[in-house]
Amino acid sequence: MTLRLSDDEAEGLRRRSELEHRSMQEVARQAIREYIEAHSRADLLDRVLDEELPRYAEALRRLGE
C-alpha cells in the first residue's frame, strides 16, 4: 500500500512523530487503528439503536410527556 499525503499532512505527521519520539509510520498506524476502533463502535451503537429503539418507542414517548 502506498499512502500519499499532502505537504501539510506530511509535515504535521513529521512534527507529531518528532514530538512523540516515534517513527512517522508508527504514528500513522496508531491513528488508523484509533480511527477504525472509533468508527466500529459508532457503527455498532447505530445498529443497536436502530434495532432496539423501536421496541421501546411507546415507553419513551410516554416518559417524554
Side-chain angles (χ1 to χ4, degrees):
M1 177 181 133
T2 301
L3 178 63
R4 289 178 175 75
L5 302 174
S6 70
D7 291 342
D8 289 341
E9 291 166 337
E11 179 61 22
L13 180 58
R14 184 192 62 72
R15 278 188 267 123
R16 188 81 240 158
S17 70
E18 287 177 358
L19 284 170
E20 296 181 13
H21 303 289
R22 300 189 312 157
S23 71
M24 290 172 64
Q25 179 176 338
E26 288 177 284
V27 174
R29 290 180 67 199
Q30 179 66 38
I32 292 167
R33 283 191 299 272
E34 290 173 5
Y35 176 90
I36 291 168
E37 184 179 317
H39 283 78
S40 294
R41 265 188 263 128
D43 291 343
L44 175 61
L45 180 59
D46 287 345
R47 190 176 68 226
V48 168
L49 289 175
D50 287 345
E51 293 171 2
E52 299 299 325
L53 205 52
R55 182 188 319 184
Y56 302 104
E58 179 60 22
L60 290 169
R61 185 191 62 74
R62 282 191 257 154
L63 284 171
E65 292 177 350

